[in-house]
C-alpha cells in the first residue's frame, strides 16, 4: 500500500479483549515470567562453577546439558503454539510449570552427568510452555488489537528477572550447596507459578477474530501456506541470524572488554548496563511502531544490531566508549525481543498467532542456544574476539538484508493496524472503573 493511501479502518473490537479487559492475566504473567526466567535460565550461570567444583563434571558438559534444554524448548514450542491457538494458555502453562518444578528437582538430585542432562531436557519441555512464547500468545489473544502495550509491559517487567534472581541465587549459594539452592528455587517456582497459571488464566479464551483489522486479509491465517511463503521464510532466516549474532555478543562481551584493558569488574558492569539498555530500548518501541512500517522497523532494528556489533569489533577503546556501545547493544537487543513478539501479528494477524510464532521461534531459540559455543569456537579459530565480532557483524548485516523481503504486500502501511489503531484514539483501559459495569 502506498503512503498516500489511508490505512484501512480497524474492525470494531467485539471480543472479550476490548477496551475493558481485566489486568489479572497480564499481572500474573509478569510475576510468573520473572520467576520462570529467574529459576530456569538465570540461576544456571550463577551456579555453574559450583556444579563443576562439586561434581567434577566439565563446564562444557554441563553447559551443553543446559543448552539442550533450550533446544528442546524450541522444538516443543511448535506443538505448544498450535495447542495454545485451540485451547488457550491455562492448562498448558499450568502443566508446563508443574513439569518445570519436577525437572528442577531432578536437576538437584542428579547423581551423574547423564541424569543431569536428562533432567535439563525434561526442563526444556516445561520451558516451551512457560517462557516468553506462550505468554506472548496469551497476551496477544487476550488484549488484541491493543496487545502491544501488554507485550511491552511484560517484557519490561520480565527484563528484571536477572536483577532479582542472579543476586538471590548467589546469596543462597553462599549458605547452601548448589543442590540445596535448586531445591529452594524449585519450591519458589512451584509456589509462585503453578497457582497463578491455574487461577489467573481461567478466563474464557477469546475466539480468533472473525474479521482481521485489515479487511483485505483473510479472517484466519492459513498456517501451512504462510510458513511456506517467501516473507515468512525470510523473516525466520533474518531473526535466526540476528539472534545468533546478538546472543554470541552477549556471552562474549566480557572477554572482549577484558582483552581491551577493562577489569573484570568493569566488564561485568558493562554487561549489566546492557540489561538496563534492554529496558530502555523497549520503552521506545511504541514510538517506533507509530512512525515506521513493518518492514522498515524490522530492517532498522536488525541494522542497529549489526552497527553496534561492528563498532564493538572495530573500536579498541577507551573503555568508557566500549561500555556505551554495550549499552546500545543491549537497547537493540531489548527492542528485538518486542520485534519478534509482534512479528506475526503485524504481518498475518492474531488468529493463528500461537502456531505461527511457535514455528518462527524454534530456529531463533536454537540459534540462541548454540550462540555461546559458536562465539567461543569462532574466537578460538580466528585468533581473538575482535575478529569473531567482525564475523558476527557479517551475519547481522545479512539478517538486515534479508529483512527487506519480510513484509507481505498487504502490511506495508506505515504501521500495523493489528498493533495500533490507524487513527489517534484514547488509550484503552484494561479494566473498568469501579463505577462502570
Amino acid at each position: 500500500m502506498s503512503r498516500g493511501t489511508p490505512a484501512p479502518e480497524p474492525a470494531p473490537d467485539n471480543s472479550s479483549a476490548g477496551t475493558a479487559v481485566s489486568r489479572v492475566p497480564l499481572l500474573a504473567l509478569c510475576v510468573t515470567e520473572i520467576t520462570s526466567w529467574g529459576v530456569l535460565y538465570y540461576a544456571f550461570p550463577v551456579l555453574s562453577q559450583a556444579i563443576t567444583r562439586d561434581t567434577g563434571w566439565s563446564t562444557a558438559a554441563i553447559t551443553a546439558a543446559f543448552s539442550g534444554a533450550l533446544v528442546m524448548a524450541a522444538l516443543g514450542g511448535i506443538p505448544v503454539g498450535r495447542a495454545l491457538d485451540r485451547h488457550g494458555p491455562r492448562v498448558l502453562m499450568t502443566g508446563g510449570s508443574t513439569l518445570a518444578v519436577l525437572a528442577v528437582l531432578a536437576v538437584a538430585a542428579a547423581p551423574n552427568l547423564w541424569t543431569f542432562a536428562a533432567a535439563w531436557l525434561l526442563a526444556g519441555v516445561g520451558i516451551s510452555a512457560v517462557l516468553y512464547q506462550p505468554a506472548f500468545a496469551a497476551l496477544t489473544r487476550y488484549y488484541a488489537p491493543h496487545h502491544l502495550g501488554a507485550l511491552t509491559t511484560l517484557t519490561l517487567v520480565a527484563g528484571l528477572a536477572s536483577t532479582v534472581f542472579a543476586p538471590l541465587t548467589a546469596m543462597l549459594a553462599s549458605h547452601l550447596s548448589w543442590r540445596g539452592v535448586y531445591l529452594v528455587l524449585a519450591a519458589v517456582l512451584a509456589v509462585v507459578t503453578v497457582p497463578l497459571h491455574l487461577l489467573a488464566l481461567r478466563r474464557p479464551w477469546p475466539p480468533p477474530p472473525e474479521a482481521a483489522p485489515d479487511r483485505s486479509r483473510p479472517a484466519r491465517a492459513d498456517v501451512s501456506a504462510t510458513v511456506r511463503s517467501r516473507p515468512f521464510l525470510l523473516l525466520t532466516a533474518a531473526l535466526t541470524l540476528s539472534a545468533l549474532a546478538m546472543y554470541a555478543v552477549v556471552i562474549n562481551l566480557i572477554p572482549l572488554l577484558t582483552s581491551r584493558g577493562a577489569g573484570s569488574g568493569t566488564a561485568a558492569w558493562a554487561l549489566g548496563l546492557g540489561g538496563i539498555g534492554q529496558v530502555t530500548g523497549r520503552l521506545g518501541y511504541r514510538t517506533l511502531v507509530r512512525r515506521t512500517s513493518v518492514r522498515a522497523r524490522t530492517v532498522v532494528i536488525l541494522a542497529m544490531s549489526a552497527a553496534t556489533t561492528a563498532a564493538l569489533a572495530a573500536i579498541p577503546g577507551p573503555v568508557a566508549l566500549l561500555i556505551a556501545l554495550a549499552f546500545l547493544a543491549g537497547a537493540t537487543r531489548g527492542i528485538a525481543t518486542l520485534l519478534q513478539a509482534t512479528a506475526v501479528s503485524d504481518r498475518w494477524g492474531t488468529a493463528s498467532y500461537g502456531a505461527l510464532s511457535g514455528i518462527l521461534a524454534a530456529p531463533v531459540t536454537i540459534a540462541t542456544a548454540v550462540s555461546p559455543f559458536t562465539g567461543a569456537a569462532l574466537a578460538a579459530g580466528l585468533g581473538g574476539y575482535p575478529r569473531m565480532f567482525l564475523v558476527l557483524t557479517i551475519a547481522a548485516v545479512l539478517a538486515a538484508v534479508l529483512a527487506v523481503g519480510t513484509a507481505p504486500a498487504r502490511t506495508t502501511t506505515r504501521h500495523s493496524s493489528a498493533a495500533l489503531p490507524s487513527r489517534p484514539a484514547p488509550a484503552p483501559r484494561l479494566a473498568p472503573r469501579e463505577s462502570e459495569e
Side-chain angles (χ1 to χ4, degrees):
M1 182 178 296
S2 67
R3 292 193 175 187
T5 304
E9 286 289 331
D13 183 17
N14 297 322
S15 71
S16 60
T19 59
V21 179
S22 170
R23 288 185 176 88
V24 170
L26 174 59
L27 295 176
L29 287 173
C30 285
V31 174
T32 62
E33 288 301 299
I34 284 183
T35 307
S36 298
W37 275 102
V39 173
L40 299 172
Y41 191 88
Y42 289 109
F44 176 80
V46 176
L47 296 174
S48 60
Q49 288 185 336
I51 295 171
T52 298
R53 187 169 55 249
D54 179 60
T55 62
W57 306 332
S58 70
T59 300
I62 66 171
T63 302
F66 178 69
S67 294
L70 301 180
V71 173
M72 184 65 70
L75 299 176
I78 297 174
V80 164
R82 294 186 181 126
L84 274 165
D85 281 336
R86 291 194 296 269
H87 306 296
R90 186 189 186 201
V91 173
L92 279 166
M93 297 194 77
T94 303
S97 295
T98 303
L99 185 61
V101 170
L102 296 175
V104 173
L105 292 173
V107 167
N112 55 57
L113 180 59
W114 293 109
T115 308
F116 182 83
W120 275 113
L121 291 178
L122 181 65
V125 179
I127 287 171
S128 69
V130 298
L131 292 190
Y132 269 154
Q133 292 310 315
F136 288 162
L139 295 182
T140 296
R141 182 74 68 87
Y142 278 144
Y143 297 103
H146 306 291
H147 52 280
L148 181 56
L151 294 175
T152 302
T153 300
L154 179 68
T155 55
L156 287 173
V157 175
L160 300 174
S162 61
T163 306
V164 174
F165 276 87
L168 173 62
T169 303
M171 182 192 70
L172 291 172
S174 67
H175 300 285
L176 302 170
S177 69
W178 69 270
R179 296 181 188 274
V181 174
Y182 266 128
L183 288 175
V184 172
L185 293 178
V188 171
L189 191 67
V191 169
V192 174
T193 65
V194 175
L196 279 178
H197 286 152
L198 180 65
L199 299 175
L201 301 179
R202 63 184 178 180
R203 66 190 303 269
W205 186 231
E210 293 303 319
D214 183 342
R215 294 174 186 265
S216 63
R217 301 181 197 170
R220 289 177 178 270
D222 183 341
V223 173
S224 179
T226 299
V227 298
R228 292 195 303 268
S229 67
R230 183 172 177 269
F232 190 90
L233 293 174
L234 289 175
L235 179 66
T236 303
L239 293 183
T240 300
L241 274 174
S242 182
L244 179 66
M246 206 175 294
Y247 287 96
V249 167
V250 174
I251 297 298
N252 293 283
L253 181 62
I254 288 180
L256 174 75
L257 295 179
T258 54
S259 72
R260 288 179 164 167
S264 58
T266 302
W269 272 104
L271 184 61
L273 286 174
I276 297 174
Q278 287 188 67
V279 174
T280 304
R282 288 166 185 167
L283 287 171
Y285 188 69
R286 286 183 68 89
T287 300
L288 187 65
V289 167
R290 285 194 296 269
R291 296 183 178 180
T292 61
S293 68
V294 172
R295 175 167 50 201
R297 64 176 166 271
T298 305
V299 173
V300 166
I301 292 167
L302 300 191
M304 287 169 55
S305 175
T308 54
T309 305
L312 286 167
I315 297 174
V319 172
L321 178 57
L322 296 175
I323 292 174
L325 291 173
F327 178 87
L328 291 176
T332 302
R333 192 165 64 251
I335 299 172
T337 302
L338 280 172
L339 178 72
Q340 183 182 338
T342 57
V344 168
S345 58
D346 280 352
R347 291 166 172 82
W348 297 286
T350 61
S352 296
Y353 178 92
L356 290 173
S357 65
I359 295 169
L360 176 66
V364 176
T365 305
I366 291 173
T368 303
V370 303
S371 61
F373 300 99
T374 302
L378 286 173
L382 296 172
Y385 288 95
R387 292 179 180 178
M388 181 266 284
F389 270 61
L390 283 175
V391 173
L392 296 180
T393 298
I394 294 172
V397 169
L398 180 57
V401 172
L402 292 175
V404 173
T406 61
R410 300 186 189 95
T411 62
T412 54
T413 56
R414 284 190 61 80
H415 59 263
S416 168
S417 58
L420 292 171
S422 62
R423 292 182 177 177
R429 292 193 304 274
L430 294 180
R433 295 192 182 100
E434 293 180 0
S435 60
E436 295 175 341
E437 295 298 331

